[in-house]
Amino acid sequence: MRVVIQDNYDKMCKWAANYIAAKINAHKEDRPFVLGLPTGSSPIGVYQELIKKNKAGEVSFQNVVTFNMDEYLGLPREHDQSYWYFMHDNFFDHIEIPAENINILNGMTDDPEAECARYEKKIASYGGIDLFMGGIGVDGHLAFNEPYTSLSSRTGVRDLTTDTRIVNSRFFGNDPEKVPAQALSVGIGTVTDSKEVLVLISGHNKARAMAAVVEGGVSQRWTCSALQMHNGAIIACDEEACGELMVDTYKYFLDIERKERL
Ligand code: GLP
């Protein structure tokens, strides 16, 4: 696992956007580049950088197909807290990408199981995901794979923990009861099947999860720790997120990244 430590949130976002754009630009196959995407506050700066690059002609999304990680169950697209709304508002409406290339789980489906099976099949039809970007929750969840979700899970229905509903209540008038209790989410296995996984970790409130994911064992307690078994996993983080790392760990990653490739 690579851990790329940047001074602050803005630099972390610039690094991640440069990395994604370089991967898209290096993709020379006829089939589209398949990009997995998250919501949340962590990726907003990355989306802003990618929008700038798209407008400047530095990266094109014409041959990019996207799959979002998750969606609340029971929220219509038009709800301003649906992930469909978030993605269009923060990214898709500002870049040139064919609408048919955008894939987001349908939170209003009558048949969640069938919707999740359809999603997995569609990912497979493109030959899998080239690069999955993600963020993590304070409890180390990746997408909506809360603690104790199987590390080989596939796309399915997830119950949100009380903790996550409390954390996400900031977007629902600070009322955890208003946060949907369930979501549709790609599984940990779905994410780790991707060729590369790039996870953003920013801020003091993620420092405990960061230490568990990087220094702890692979454990369903911190589902993002599954990335330790992935050969193409990168954590891009800021200094604040490193607050709970051992000094040796911190120095090690700074040291090896100093001589690094892109
Ligand atoms: C939600 C999403 C996750 C996201 C997490 C952290 O629970 N389902 O995909 O990573 O929030 O969000 P933030 O980046 O706002 O801290």
Side-chain angles (χ1 to χ4, degrees):
M1 181 195 277
R2 281 179 73 185
V3 177
V4 177
I5 303 167
Q6 297 290 315
D7 295 347
N8 53 42
Y9 175 77
D10 288 349
K11 286 188 180 167
M12 176 193 81
C13 291
K14 282 205 172 96
W15 188 93
N18 284 341
Y19 188 86
I20 293 167
K23 288 287 164 176
I24 293 172
N25 289 336
H27 182 79
K28 300 293 177 215
E29 295 168 39
D30 285 343
R31 65 170 195 95
F33 185 86
V34 185
L35 182 62
L37 295 173
T39 57
S41 38
S42 307
I44 287 180
V46 180
Y47 292 141
Q48 287 168 352
E49 287 298 321
L50 286 173
I51 291 166
K52 270 194 227 156
K53 285 180 179 297
N54 184 235
K55 291 198 189 307
E58 292 167 19
V59 66
S60 164
F61 293 93
Q62 293 295 341
N63 195 32
V64 174
V65 165
T66 65
F67 283 90
N68 261 83
M69 291 194 132
D70 44 16
E71 178 61 285
Y72 287 116
L73 203 51
L75 284 195
R77 286 175 167 192
E78 308 71 40
H79 191 291
D80 64 3
Q81 291 309 324
S82 81
Y83 287 169
W84 192 97
Y85 189 99
F86 174 99
M87 287 306 300
H88 285 77
D89 195 32
N90 286 289
F91 193 41
F92 296 137
D93 287 351
H94 311 282
I95 58 167
E96 286 183 318
I97 183 166
E100 63 272 21
N101 288 15
I102 297 169
N103 295 282
I104 301 178
L105 284 153
N106 176 11
M108 293 301 285
T109 178
D110 291 337
D111 188 345
E113 302 299 333
E115 170 64 2
C116 294
R118 179 196 68 81
Y119 210 63
E120 285 277 340
K121 250 195 192 158
K122 195 151 184 205
I123 292 172
S125 76
Y126 286 104
I129 291 178
D130 292 294
L131 172 60
F132 219 135
M133 173 165 70
I136 64 169
V138 291
D139 59 5
H141 71 238
L142 184 59
F144 266 130
N145 296 290
E146 298 282 27
Y148 308 109
T149 305
S150 161
L151 299 186
S152 59
S153 52
R154 310 303 307 187
T155 305
V157 180
R158 301 287 187 272
D159 296 322
L160 273 53
T161 61
T162 302
D163 280 359
T164 294
R165 292 179 79 197
I166 291 170
V167 171
N168 289 4
S169 68
R170 67 192 191 279
F171 302 115
F172 291 84
N174 291 317
D175 181 358
E177 286 299 317
K178 292 205 177 111
V179 180
Q182 289 188 311
L184 302 180
S185 173
V186 295
I188 293 293
T190 319
V191 176
T192 54
D193 274 356
S194 311
K195 290 194 190 88
E196 288 190 273
V197 185
L198 168 61
V199 169
L200 310 167
I201 308 186
S202 164
H204 282 300
N205 64 336
K206 303 283 172 69
R208 188 165 157 250
M210 169 88 181
V213 164
V214 175
E215 295 174 339
V218 175
S219 162
Q220 57 186 357
R221 170 70 188 82
W222 303 91
T223 55
C224 188
S225 65
L227 294 188
Q228 291 180 24
M229 302 296 289
H230 195 287
N231 205 18
I234 304 177
I235 288 178
C237 64
D238 58 15
E239 288 280 346
E240 288 188 1
C242 295
E244 300 277 334
L245 290 181
M246 290 187 292
V247 175
D248 271 2
T249 309
Y250 173 78
K251 282 185 175 170
Y252 168 76
F253 284 114
L254 279 185
D255 193 32
I256 54 169
E257 288 297 331
R258 206 165 277 142
K259 330 170 177 105
E260 264 325 314
R261 339 145 257 205
L262 168 80

